Amino acid sequence: MAGTIAVVSALGMTAVLGGCGLTGGSADVTLKLVAADYGDNAANSSKKYWDKLADEYEADHPDVEIDVSVYSWNDVDRKVREMVAAGDPPDMAQIGAYADYAAKNQLYKADDLLSIPVQADFVGQLASAGQVKGVQYGMPFAASTRVLFYNKSLFAKAGITPPESWNDLAEDAEALKAEGVKYPYALPLGPEEAQAETMQWMLSGGGGYTDSVDSYAIDSPENIDTFSWLKKDLVGKGLTGPVAPGELNRAAAFAAFAKGEVGMLDGHPSLMKIATKGGVKYGMVPTPGHEGPSRSTLGVSDWMTAFRKNGHRDQVGDFLDFVYSEKNVLAFSREYDLLPVTSSASRTMAASEEDRHLKPFLEELLSSELYPVGKTSWADVASQVKGRIGKAVAPGGSPSGVLGTLQAAATRAESAE
């Protein structure tokens, strides 16, 4: 990946392209769409995807012009915030969050836009995650899950097999350490994407950020037990490498894996390409849980939103029906090694030999859990997690104390909504 990139989407995708526009001819209605770039260079920029989509749609709808601006993940959310603040929001924005706009009644509901078959086709977990108080405003656009990657060469040298439980993982890490592996298990709890690694471990221990009634439960007994185990049985035994987990970022962990320095780590589909470029022979297994494979994994999604200000509800809805056709969803997912957000495209991908490399992630999608993105407090809570969670496993740190502090911060943020 490009070394200059500092900001990632919810999916961990990187992008480098600045804003660009594409326009058609005269039309009765112009729909403005701001989209994020999932490419890592100009050659595979999302501009090409939207260019083709807009041309196809306009050919059949000469009365509608699709005016698309594509921005890197460094800029896209800020650009949309600025447009909204200036009173000139786009008709549609494909971005990383939606709850703040929904809370201010600035967005169309999904069922005001999409045809019933299209809305019903969203993968259930993703559709639910797009809801605020039971109403869907965020339309999932791209999805990903996590699995455990392991270095096959290092495992063979150590004479070990992929782990299924936490104890297996710890034993494998001990064997890798004995062979001189730099990072037996890479635990990126640094500020770049600590909220992801944190939730993955919470889920593997039977916990999560929220409880069954969607209230924050960061300091639940399950989560405290999970981070106590991490501190004592992994970090405390020197099995997570030379960089403190609280200072290790995801991008650095992925880069170390590609150099053959990491035995195991949680990763999403983009790590496949990174590892292959580095010549690393890797395997993938479900994330280990407390007693066996984790019953749930982290799912993440980015979101399509539609703003009400310009009033083009019918035209926006028709265009989005086109965007979410099986053909177009599959084309986007295949271009960027992402998971389809619709059930129809997921079934096609599951049966396709072309997509076999994505099947381990696809199999995890139906049992995945997503961040509580329907809460307007989540952005603040995620920021707190990024800044503090590393201290829970640091020498002298207190898992219960750190998680309790995060829970208190989450409660305050929730009550301020």
Side-chain angles (χ1 to χ4, degrees):
M1 294 290 187
T4 57
I5 297 165
V7 177
V8 296
S9 77
L11 304 178
M13 300 298 291
T14 53
V16 298
L17 192 69
C20 56
L22 61 95
T23 58
S26 59
D28 296 337
V29 172
T30 297
L31 299 180
K32 293 184 179 181
L33 167 64
V34 173
D37 195 346
Y38 290 78
D40 56 11
N41 57 65
N44 71 347
S45 165
S46 296
K47 178 185 182 296
K48 292 186 176 181
Y49 174 81
W50 287 112
D51 241 336
K52 184 172 183 291
L53 218 61
D55 287 346
E56 287 182 12
Y57 186 80
E58 290 172 354
D60 289 334
H61 302 81
D63 56 332
V64 177
E65 177 184 317
I66 310 298
D67 181 358
V68 183
S69 297
V70 176
Y71 297 101
S72 80
W73 278 105
N74 296 337
D75 302 318
V76 66
D77 284 280
R78 174 179 56 81
K79 289 283 188 180
V80 172
R81 282 195 303 271
E82 290 173 352
M83 294 170 75
V84 173
D88 186 27
D91 294 280
M92 296 163 284
Q94 186 266 302
I95 47 180
Y98 65 86
D100 282 348
Y101 300 125
K104 296 173 183 175
N105 198 32
Q106 294 172 324
L107 301 179
Y108 282 117
K109 302 173 186 176
D111 56 11
D112 286 339
L113 297 167
L114 303 175
S115 65
I116 292 173
V118 169
Q119 189 176 3
D121 197 26
F122 286 132
V123 172
Q125 286 91 332
L126 304 180
S128 296
Q131 296 178 356
V132 174
K133 297 179 180 177
V135 178
Q136 185 179 0
Y137 294 93
M139 292 164 278
F141 185 75
S144 181
T145 56
R146 306 291 169 108
V147 299
L148 184 78
F149 283 73
Y150 66 96
N151 184 310
K152 285 186 173 182
S153 301
L154 296 179
F155 266 58
K157 185 179 179 184
I160 54 178
T161 56
E164 295 184 0
S165 68
W166 288 357
N167 286 340
D168 294 342
L169 189 149
E171 290 174 5
D172 284 351
E174 289 275 14
L176 291 164
K177 181 183 179 183
E179 291 291 336
V181 175
K182 188 173 182 180
Y183 295 89
Y185 178 86
L187 183 66
L189 295 177
E192 178 193 347
E193 205 185 21
Q195 81 284 2
E197 186 77 8
T198 296
M199 184 166 173
Q200 186 69 52
W201 276 99
M202 286 177 169
L203 291 171
S204 73
Y209 284 117
T210 57
D211 58 21
S212 59
V213 294
D214 202 34
S215 296
Y216 283 113
I218 296 174
D219 62 347
S220 68
E222 293 85 358
N223 291 341
I224 291 173
D225 287 347
T226 293
F227 276 85
S228 296
W229 185 87
L230 279 173
K231 182 176 186 294
K232 176 177 176 290
D233 289 272
L234 278 190
V235 182
K237 293 181 179 178
L239 302 178
T240 55
V243 179
E247 297 173 8
L248 181 65
N249 282 326
R250 179 199 56 80
F254 279 19
F257 188 80
K259 293 177 183 176
E261 298 174 345
V262 175
M264 302 172 278
L265 81 169
D266 282 318
H268 50 64
S270 70
L271 182 54
M272 294 187 294
K273 188 177 295 183
I274 297 170
T276 299
K277 283 183 179 179
V280 171
K281 294 180 180 178
Y282 62 89
M284 299 181 291
V285 294
T287 302
H290 192 271
E291 302 294 339
S294 179
R295 287 175 292 180
S296 186
T297 189
L298 170 65
V300 292
S301 179
D302 294 327
W303 305 97
M304 178 68 75
T305 59
F307 287 86
R308 300 172 58 200
K309 178 75 180 289
N310 298 325
H312 298 142
R313 186 185 74 174
D314 293 344
Q315 293 87 352
V316 168
D318 190 72
F319 176 67
L320 290 179
D321 273 0
F322 173 73
V323 168
Y324 283 108
S325 68
E326 181 179 330
K327 176 177 74 79
N328 290 329
V329 171
L330 279 171
F332 186 86
S333 302
R334 286 168 171 164
E335 176 66 28
Y336 299 107
D337 281 334
L338 294 167
L339 302 183
V341 297
T342 61
S343 297
S344 59
S346 295
R347 288 191 297 269
T348 299
M349 182 174 278
S352 169
E353 184 67 16
E354 174 187 352
D355 303 306
R356 64 187 182 279
H357 62 296
L358 288 171
K359 286 180 182 177
F361 301 93
L362 195 60
E363 289 168 356
E364 296 290 320
L365 185 59
L366 294 180
S367 62
S368 67
E369 293 190 27
L370 281 78
Y371 300 127
V373 289
K375 294 177 175 289
T376 57
S377 59
W378 169 242
D380 287 340
V381 173
S383 178
Q384 292 280 341
V385 170
K386 290 177 182 181
R388 294 177 181 268
I389 195 64
K391 298 179 177 66
V393 298
S398 166
S400 60
V402 171
L403 293 174
T405 298
L406 290 171
Q407 175 65 27
T411 301
R412 288 193 299 272
E414 184 80 345
S415 64
E417 284 191 11

